[in-house]
Amino acid sequence: MPAILQLVYASRATFRENTSSQGIEPEVSRILMQSRQNNPRSGIVGALYYGDGHFFQCLEGDPDAVRETVDRIRRDHRHEEVRVLREQPLDSPGFGEWSMKYIPAAKDVRQLLQRFGQRQFDPFAFDNNRIDAMLDLLRQGRDTAQTGPESSTAARPEDVAHGTSRLLFGVGLVAAAVAVGVIGAAAYLVLVS
């Protein structure tokens, strides 16, 4: 069995896209945050792209952990028609420092699609050349997703732990403020963050 497995899959989103939101789609943001919290525990790295109602994701790591993650994704109500596009052994991970990189580079993806004669992002139609081109774009692109109070460029495990601690601390402060009826809780939270 290979030490590192690369698995690339495509799926369709089941949720209705929130077009009124600024930046990253809220459901995608939740998926990304969960990935950045769970993947370091499983030793998985990778990248995610969402566009035109489709997910394209590359997972790399221990074969059993990668397959368990894909099984979990298949059961996730936010995905349907999960299809593995590629599964291959690697000598070293291509997304080694990323628990889950997210590239909302719609302009770059549109240019890639035009190069291959596609109008919409439909990873189900990708052949090996398109998969390789998309993976190259994801490796080279800059992660600009904000899943917490700060923009994450590499979502290292210690960054995730720090962000989770800040979130839990903030939730604790709000709960304490509500319990004692402190009206200025919101102003206090702004001061401590």
Side-chain angles (χ1 to χ4, degrees):
M1 183 157 34
I4 299 173
L5 176 68
Q6 179 191 73
L7 189 146
V8 178
Y9 80 87
S11 67
R12 293 188 206 290
T14 59
F15 53 84
R16 189 172 173 187
E17 191 168 331
N18 184 349
T19 55
S20 65
S21 68
Q22 297 287 344
I24 188 170
E25 204 288 330
E27 282 296 332
V28 175
S29 181
R30 283 188 274 282
I31 289 169
L32 185 59
M33 186 180 298
Q34 289 169 337
S35 296
R36 287 180 171 178
Q37 290 173 349
N38 295 333
N39 288 352
R41 289 188 286 252
S42 301
I44 294 175
V45 296
L48 173 68
Y49 179 79
Y50 171 80
D52 296 331
H54 293 87
F55 290 99
F56 177 93
Q57 187 169 27
C58 175
L59 300 169
E60 298 173 346
D62 173 75
D64 290 336
V66 168
R67 288 187 183 107
E68 286 172 18
T69 299
V70 172
D71 287 343
R72 195 168 47 252
I73 291 166
R74 288 182 194 281
R75 294 187 304 269
D76 187 324
H77 70 278
R78 298 169 291 194
H79 297 266
E80 65 184 6
E81 298 180 50
V82 176
R83 184 185 310 159
V84 174
L85 303 177
R86 174 185 287 169
E87 192 172 333
Q88 67 183 13
L90 296 178
D91 292 329
S92 62
F95 297 97
E97 36 182 87
W98 297 94
S99 61
M100 189 48 56
K101 186 175 185 180
Y102 180 76
I103 308 292
K107 180 181 175 188
D108 294 339
V109 172
R110 296 281 175 228
Q111 290 172 350
L112 180 131
L113 295 176
Q114 286 177 351
R115 196 171 96 207
F116 288 107
Q118 279 184 255
R119 290 182 160 210
Q120 285 195 308
F121 183 71
D122 180 6
F124 291 108
F126 283 11
D127 59 13
N128 277 327
N129 290 334
R130 293 174 199 191
I131 292 170
D132 288 337
M134 188 67 188
L135 290 175
D136 286 343
L137 188 147
L138 291 174
R139 276 187 209 97
Q140 295 166 8
R142 183 165 181 254
D143 183 315
T144 58
Q146 292 186 331
T147 58
E150 302 169 61
S151 177
S152 174
T153 58
R156 298 177 311 259
E158 60 270 21
D159 295 337
V160 172
H162 177 70
T164 303
S165 296
R166 287 185 67 185
L167 174 64
L168 292 173
F169 177 71
V171 169
L173 285 176
V174 170
V178 169
V180 296
V182 177
I183 296 174
Y188 179 74
L189 282 174
V190 169
L191 290 173
V192 296
S193 49

